[in-house]
Amino acid sequence: MNSAQTFNKQDHLYTAMFCEENIWQLCHTLISTGIAADELNILFLSNASKDIVIFNQQFTEPGQAISYDYHVILKYRPDNGEALVFDFDTRLPFPVDWNTYQQASFPNPVSLPPGLQMMTREVSADEFLRCFTSDRSHMAHLPMSEHPDYDCIIASDPQCSIDLKDYWQMDKAISGTSRVYPYSYVAT
């Protein structure tokens, strides 16, 4: 199914600064429309310094980079098509093809000091929807009016509950089948 190109950001739940919950909601929606879960992967982007650089994000001026402690995107790879990325915070199209997203969003890893080189934790859609938990404590500094207007996301399978902070800690082994690798691996 390659209908992802018809999706509009405005048709989906979105709360600024809650990329992981936006992607959880989107993943749920895509599967409910008939996209196979095994065609979707969630990518947590971070590093040991909690300082990654991304370009073309809405929270900065065009052409400027932003520094995040982590960011979460959804990668859709249909059986018969090129990989697409869903990122609610990008200035790029929604979705955008994976190669365009990489070239426009990420600096060349070899040009960055070691502390800024990005790591990726890749999680299957099925596992993410079953195991993801967020109590929003990482955003406690925001007024409640800026939090999503739905309840916190709790793992549907309490046996595998994985907290947001566990996903973004790239050096931490967590239960499940996620894998962690340097961004340069993704670029090949």
Side-chain angles (χ1 to χ4, degrees):
M1 180 175 205
N2 198 3
S3 63
Q5 287 126 333
T6 63
F7 282 88
N8 295 313
K9 284 184 192 182
Q10 299 76 14
D11 295 338
H12 301 282
L13 285 174
Y14 173 79
T15 305
M17 297 181 282
F18 286 86
C19 57
E20 66 286 346
E21 293 196 27
N22 297 329
I23 293 299
W24 189 93
Q25 296 288 349
L26 176 64
C27 186
H28 188 272
T29 299
L30 293 176
I31 291 171
S32 72
T33 65
I35 293 176
D38 63 357
E39 295 179 338
L40 303 172
N41 286 296
I42 289 62
L43 304 180
F44 284 81
L45 312 171
S46 192
N47 58 27
S49 305
K50 303 291 180 275
D51 190 10
I52 60 169
V53 176
I54 303 180
F55 288 88
N56 284 308
Q57 295 287 289
Q58 295 179 44
F59 301 119
T60 62
E61 296 296 319
Q64 297 297 310
I66 190 167
S67 173
Y68 287 133
D69 50 354
Y70 72 98
H71 193 52
V72 183
I73 60 176
L74 185 143
K75 188 174 180 181
Y76 169 42
R77 184 182 297 276
D79 284 337
N80 60 350
E82 66 183 328
L84 300 172
V85 172
F86 291 85
D87 178 353
F88 282 96
D89 300 311
T90 187
R91 294 177 181 280
L92 301 173
F94 182 87
V96 62
D97 73 89
W98 176 238
N99 289 331
T100 299
Y101 184 80
Q102 289 183 97
Q103 292 170 0
S105 301
F106 306 134
N108 183 336
V110 298
S111 70
L112 296 171
L116 292 179
Q117 292 180 358
M118 189 169 64
M119 301 291 291
T120 301
R121 182 182 299 273
E122 185 173 356
V123 183
S124 71
D126 177 62
E127 184 172 309
F128 186 59
L129 290 176
R130 279 186 308 104
C131 302
F132 176 67
T133 297
S134 178
D135 62 7
R136 300 182 184 147
S137 60
H138 68 295
M139 298 303 250
H141 63 283
L142 292 177
M144 290 305 291
S145 63
E146 294 184 29
H147 284 232
D149 61 0
Y150 51 83
D151 291 338
C152 291
I153 296 171
I154 305 297
S156 63
D157 179 356
Q159 301 281 354
C160 71
S161 181
I162 302 172
D163 188 73
L164 168 64
K165 291 178 183 177
D166 294 330
Y167 278 120
W168 86 41
Q169 289 181 334
M170 298 297 161
D171 58 348
K172 183 174 186 172
I174 61 175
S175 63
T177 60
S178 71
R179 60 190 184 107
V180 176
Y181 45 84
Y183 166 69
S184 60
Y185 177 85
V186 177
T188 60

